[in-house]
Amino acid sequence: MSLTKDASPGRGAFRRAALILVLLASGVGLWVLVGRDGRAQPKGPPGGAPMAVSVSVTQARLGAAPVTLTGIGTVTPLKTVTVKSRVDGELTEVRFKEGQYVKEGELLAQIDPRPFQAQLDQYQGQLAKDTALLENARADLVRYDSLVKKDMLAGQTKDTQASLVRQYEGAVRSDKAQIDNARLQIEYSRITAPVSGRVGLRKLDPGNMVKTTDETGLCVITQMSPMSVVFTLPEDQLPKVRRRLLAGEKLAVTAYDRTMTEKLAQGSLATTDNQIDTATGTIKLRALFENKDEMLFPNQFVNAELLLENRQDVVLIPAAAVMRGPKGSYVFVVGKEDAVAMRPVTTGLAVGTDVVVDSGLAQGETVVVEGADRLRDGSKVSIRQGAAAAAKQ
């Protein structure tokens, strides 16, 4: 029993020492595998040479980079008219259909013209009466004038007759004005389209009594072509736009849908508003579009993209090739013997999935697009077959 107790402490110490050695060996192996910078190191082939990292590459190319400004806008018709009657009466006929395209001056509806025709006849009769009185008064004035010259009539009688002639002349002019007004009422009983455009939903049916004080009117006509889009931009961007407008440049504007995925129409910038909205710090701009296909619909929310300039011959690479670190942006450039070098770059505008490289990279240089996260300066790479063919193009 005493021998067993004496042997146990020595055997436990031996086991603990062996466990410590195993843990130390594992830690050293892990440190060698991961490396000092925390990145997993690729296992090399027998003989100690590092294994090449498989990557996809592309060549930096020259291209165009459009400089654009984007703002949220609303499709705003140049003309929207609520058609109302200018006379009171019964609506006897409606000539248009809902959604129909009408031309300016086209007959839309008819108000009963008979009351206005009766007034016209009455005024014409009054004109005939007053005209006859005027002719008789003028004849008497001629006779009175002759008698006065022969000292056979007092001059006061002649003067009174001359005043009567002027009175009848005024009555005749008044009758003619009333006749013109009655004819105008008859013309107003024919309701025509004030502008060309598309008719909305009908608001009155034949048989209704129409009044000039009705707020709803008969229908609404909206001009569909040309169409405008009113959109906003931050006030800081206004000087760039104003300089080009004052120089006489025609700036292109593209209208996209709410999600910026579908192009709706292509137009040009017409003008800017005359003041900045102090509440939002934005300026309103109006762009004009032909809109012959009517892709732009009144009051539709759209995204307007204003093209300020189109920069030519800039260096473009995929945005996925640009890495970012504590010291800024950089790319891995493939050099001789398929070794990569980490190159700091300065990037600018985004052009779709590409990005403009303002400095640090030249046309034709090969950069890593996929697999850069496993690289370090000087690493060997193995270019994938499809990527190699694309890099040569």
Side-chain angles (χ1 to χ4, degrees):
M1 296 296 293
S2 60
L3 292 175
T4 303
K5 292 180 180 180
D6 295 338
S8 297
R11 191 177 302 169
F14 175 77
R15 291 177 178 176
R16 285 193 297 272
L19 180 60
I20 292 173
L21 289 175
V22 170
L23 293 175
L24 288 175
S26 300
V28 171
L30 182 61
W31 181 80
V32 172
L33 180 62
V34 174
R36 296 181 179 181
D37 58 355
R39 294 185 179 181
Q41 301 298 312
K43 294 182 180 179
M51 183 177 179
V53 179
S54 176
V55 296
S56 295
V57 298
T58 189
Q59 283 188 344
R61 70 186 191 280
L62 293 181
V67 181
T68 59
L69 304 175
T70 304
I72 299 176
T74 305
V75 179
T76 306
L78 296 178
K79 294 180 181 178
T80 299
V81 180
T82 300
V83 180
K84 296 182 179 181
S85 175
R86 289 183 279 187
V87 294
D88 297 344
E90 180 185 355
L91 182 64
T92 59
E93 186 180 4
V94 174
R95 291 284 189 92
F96 66 89
K97 295 181 179 179
E98 296 178 335
Q100 176 185 347
Y101 186 86
V102 296
K103 295 182 179 180
E104 182 177 353
E106 185 176 343
L107 181 62
L108 300 178
Q110 178 70 59
I111 304 293
D112 186 4
R114 290 175 297 179
F116 312 116
Q117 183 63 51
Q119 283 185 340
L120 176 61
D121 295 340
Q122 178 183 352
Y123 295 146
Q124 287 176 337
Q126 184 65 38
L127 174 63
K129 175 183 176 181
D130 292 339
T131 301
L133 292 174
L134 175 61
E135 292 175 353
N136 184 62
R138 284 174 176 172
D140 288 344
L141 179 61
V142 172
R143 287 193 293 269
Y144 292 166
D145 183 62
S146 177
L147 293 175
V148 169
K149 290 179 180 179
K150 296 178 181 179
D151 293 331
M152 298 176 65
L153 187 68
Q156 183 178 1
T157 305
K158 173 190 172 184
D159 295 338
T160 302
Q161 187 64 26
S163 297
L164 184 60
V165 169
R166 290 193 294 270
Q167 179 180 346
Y168 287 147
E169 288 175 345
V172 169
R173 285 196 295 269
S174 177
D175 294 338
K176 290 181 178 180
Q178 289 179 324
I179 289 173
D180 291 339
N181 182 67
R183 287 174 176 167
L184 187 62
Q185 301 302 305
I186 294 175
E187 182 179 347
Y188 284 165
S189 67
R190 299 178 71 257
I191 301 175
T192 58
V195 296
S196 298
R198 190 168 297 281
V199 180
L201 300 180
R202 189 172 65 191
K203 300 181 180 180
L204 283 177
D205 297 319
N208 284 282
M209 293 300 297
V210 179
K211 295 184 179 180
T212 57
T213 56
D214 292 340
E215 294 295 331
T216 57
L218 274 72
C219 63
V220 177
I221 300 177
T222 301
Q223 179 178 317
M224 300 297 293
S225 178
M227 185 67 74
S228 76
V229 170
V230 177
F231 62 100
T232 58
L233 290 177
E235 60 179 310
D236 297 339
Q237 298 175 350
L238 178 60
K240 303 176 185 177
V241 179
R242 291 289 297 169
R243 279 195 295 268
R244 285 167 171 78
L245 282 179
L246 294 176
E249 296 184 28
K250 188 176 182 180
L251 302 180
V253 179
T254 306
Y256 292 90
D257 65 351
R258 186 188 296 266
T259 60
M260 283 291 289
T261 57
E262 182 181 359
K263 179 180 176 180
L264 301 177
Q266 182 74 39
S268 60
L269 184 65
T271 185
T272 64
D273 200 357
N274 59 358
Q275 58 184 344
I276 295 173
D277 188 345
T278 57
T280 60
T282 59
I283 181 73
K284 290 182 179 180
L285 302 92
R286 184 188 295 274
L288 296 180
F289 301 83
E290 285 296 328
N291 199 37
K292 292 182 179 179
D293 55 0
E294 298 188 4
M295 290 297 292
L296 297 177
F297 207 77
N299 297 332
Q300 177 183 5
F301 287 100
V302 296
N303 287 292
E305 186 179 75
L306 172 65
L307 178 63
L308 271 183
E309 60 176 313
N310 202 8
R311 296 174 56 187
Q312 301 292 331
D313 297 331
V314 296
V315 179
L316 297 173
I317 60 173
V322 181
M323 310 292 290
R324 288 170 176 78
K327 296 183 180 180
S329 301
Y330 62 93
V331 296
F332 284 105
V333 181
V334 181
K336 297 180 180 179
E337 299 180 356
D338 291 338
V340 297
M342 189 173 68
R343 181 88 58 83
V345 293
T346 302
T347 58
L349 298 171
V351 184
T353 58
D354 295 333
V355 67
V356 176
V357 180
D358 293 330
S359 63
L361 197 64
Q363 176 193 5
E365 290 190 285
T366 303
V367 296
V368 176
V369 179
E370 295 181 5
D373 55 334
R374 295 178 293 166
L375 298 177
R376 292 191 303 174
D377 194 18
S379 298
K380 294 286 185 176
V381 295
S382 173
I383 300 176
R384 298 170 190 170
Q385 185 174 1
K392 294 179 181 179
Q393 295 179 353

